[in-house]
């Protein structure tokens, strides 16, 4: 398993390298659009709202995220159909020094308890991660 910087709760400030994250909210949805149309999920959509603040002196990027359940099964972010999500964080996410970005990231996974894995953007194979517990809250 990758090195873990710590396990955090939603609402806590999480320092990962020069970036500071705060996971504000998570919700399970049967569709990305409120009217139920759009690309249907394989399982169910999990939307996670977060902020990312760049405390470094140079432009940095917000990495891709994964979620992991208690069995160790991981799910990567969804990148198709997400244009239907208001305030979607985007796929290419650069943050200027002293700036904060806020938005939603999207996963397609079976309903359950997960931990959001936040990478420090280290070299592949040597990354460190912070974990954030995501409670189950159905919409």
């Amino acid at each position: 398993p990758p090195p873990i910087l710590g396990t955090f709760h939603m609402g806590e400030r999480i320092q990962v390298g020069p970036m500071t994250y705060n996971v504000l909210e998570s919700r399970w949805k049967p569709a990305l659009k409120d009217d139920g149309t759009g690309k249907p999920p394989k399982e169910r959509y999990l939307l996670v709202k977060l902020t990312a603040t760049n405390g470094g002196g140079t432009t940095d990027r917000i990495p891709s995220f994964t979620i992991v359940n208690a069995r160790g099964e991981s799910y990567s972010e969804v990148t198709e159909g997400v244009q239907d999500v208001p305030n979607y964080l985007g796929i290419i996410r650069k943050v200027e020094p002293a700036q904060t970005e806020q938005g939603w990231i999207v996963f397609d996974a079976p309903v359950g308890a997960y931990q959001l894995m936040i990478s420090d953007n280290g070299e592949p194979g040597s990354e460190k991660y912070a974990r954030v517990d995501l409670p189950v809250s159905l919409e």
Side-chain angles (χ1 to χ4, degrees):
I4 301 299
L5 300 168
T7 301
F8 301 88
H9 299 287
M10 286 177 44
E12 289 185 310
R13 288 173 42 95
I14 305 158
Q15 187 74 41
V16 183
M19 301 291 287
T20 302
Y21 297 91
N22 193 336
V23 178
L24 305 171
E25 183 180 348
S26 67
R27 62 172 76 146
W28 290 94
K29 295 182 73 167
L32 292 177
K33 285 185 174 182
D34 289 335
D35 65 4
T37 62
K39 186 178 188 305
K42 290 185 179 109
E43 296 288 342
R44 195 162 173 111
Y45 288 118
L46 172 61
L47 281 72
V48 178
K49 186 177 190 179
L50 57 81
T51 64
T53 302
N54 183 354
T58 60
T59 301
D60 206 346
R61 66 181 182 83
I62 301 170
S64 295
F65 298 94
T66 57
I67 54 173
V68 179
N69 64 20
R71 294 183 300 279
E73 299 165 328
S74 66
Y75 299 86
S76 298
E77 278 185 72
V78 172
T79 56
E80 291 180 26
V82 291
Q83 67 276 4
D84 295 330
V85 177
N87 200 20
Y88 174 63
L89 194 58
I91 296 171
I92 299 172
R93 308 179 277 218
K94 294 188 186 257
V95 186
E96 299 297 323
Q99 295 295 308
T100 298
E101 294 293 326
Q102 176 177 301
W104 293 94
I105 55 175
V106 182
F107 301 92
D108 186 348
V111 173
Y114 289 89
Q115 289 184 321
L116 177 69
M117 303 295 287
I118 303 174
S119 168
D120 69 350
N121 275 334
E123 292 295 319
S126 65
E127 304 106 323
K128 297 179 184 81
Y129 291 86
R131 295 186 291 215
V132 183
D133 291 324
L134 301 176
V136 178
S137 58
L138 296 175
E139 187 171 289

